[in-house]
């Protein structure tokens, strides 16, 4: 399971012109699920997301986690993260999980996040989403669970 996290000062997801999830300061994470992923992969990714130190402390060093700053977590499913791009000029999605598995594991991750962290929002799995964010830094990291 892959998570492309971006430290944001704000972020929101819209579906058909309606806001379905939004946060202020925190992490907006694009989540990609691959066929070999399991609930254990989701648990490992969530642990990293909540504890990865990407927020600045009083000395300006990246030393604080999402939990430390009590920021929001916005999870957005993104099957294109699992694309194979090493050859050719068109991505292949053969390395992405089938939709049923992707939905199951994304929902599991979302539910685990909601039971572990106070401010958790999400996009809508499988929908055509418009993601708006202000990347703070910019700070962006690819994590794997």
């Amino acid at each position: 399971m892959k998570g492309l996290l971006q430290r944001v000062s704000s972020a929101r997801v819209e579906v058909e012109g309606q806001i379905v999830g939004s946060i202020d300061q925190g992490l907006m994470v694009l989540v990609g699920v691959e066929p070999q992923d399991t609930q254990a992969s989701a648990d490992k990714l969530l642990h990293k997301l909540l504890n990865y130190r990407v927020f600045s402390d009083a000395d300006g060093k990246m030393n604080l986690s999402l939990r430390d700053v009590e920021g929001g977590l916005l999870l957005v499913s993104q099957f294109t993260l699992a694309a194979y791009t090493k050859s050719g000029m068109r991505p292949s999605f053969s390395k992405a999980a089938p939709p049923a598995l992707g939905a199951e594991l994304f929902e599991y991750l979302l539910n685990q996040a909601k039971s572990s962290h106070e401010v958790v929002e999400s996009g809508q799995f499988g929908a055509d989403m418009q993601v708006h964010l202000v990347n703070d830094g910019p700070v962006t990291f690819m994590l794997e669970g």
Side-chain angles (χ1 to χ4, degrees):
M1 185 171 276
K2 294 180 179 181
L4 181 68
L5 76 79
Q6 297 181 69
R7 185 179 73 187
V8 299
S9 54
S10 65
R12 74 179 188 277
V13 179
E14 297 178 3
V15 175
E16 296 180 3
Q18 301 295 315
I19 296 173
V20 296
S22 68
I23 60 169
D24 292 319
Q25 178 192 31
L27 298 177
M28 195 285 298
V29 184
L30 301 173
V31 178
V33 181
E34 296 175 306
Q36 72 274 12
D37 289 331
T38 62
Q39 289 182 353
S41 305
D43 291 338
K44 185 176 177 183
L45 179 61
L46 180 60
H47 178 76
K48 287 181 179 180
L49 295 175
L50 296 178
N51 296 290
Y52 211 64
R53 297 182 301 167
V54 297
F55 294 92
S56 298
D57 63 14
D59 295 324
K61 304 242 188 229
M62 278 193 219
N63 214 16
L64 301 175
S65 70
L66 185 65
R67 283 191 164 138
D68 294 331
V69 300
E70 298 178 352
L73 178 62
L74 176 59
L75 298 173
V76 179
S77 63
Q78 173 115 28
F79 81 97
T80 61
L81 284 181
Y84 179 79
T85 60
K86 290 188 181 191
S87 65
M89 299 307 291
R90 183 174 182 210
S92 167
F93 300 107
S94 61
K95 293 190 175 222
L101 177 62
E104 175 188 325
L105 289 177
F106 182 78
E107 282 299 312
Y108 175 81
L109 176 67
L110 179 59
N111 290 332
Q112 293 299 103
K114 286 181 176 180
S115 69
S116 302
H117 192 70
E118 189 168 328
V119 180
V120 177
E121 297 278 329
S122 73
Q124 183 178 329
F125 186 89
D128 180 20
M129 296 176 275
Q130 286 68 53
V131 180
H132 306 263
L133 63 111
V134 178
N135 190 318
D136 179 22
V139 172
T140 303
F141 293 98
M142 175 66 79
L143 300 179
E144 295 195 36

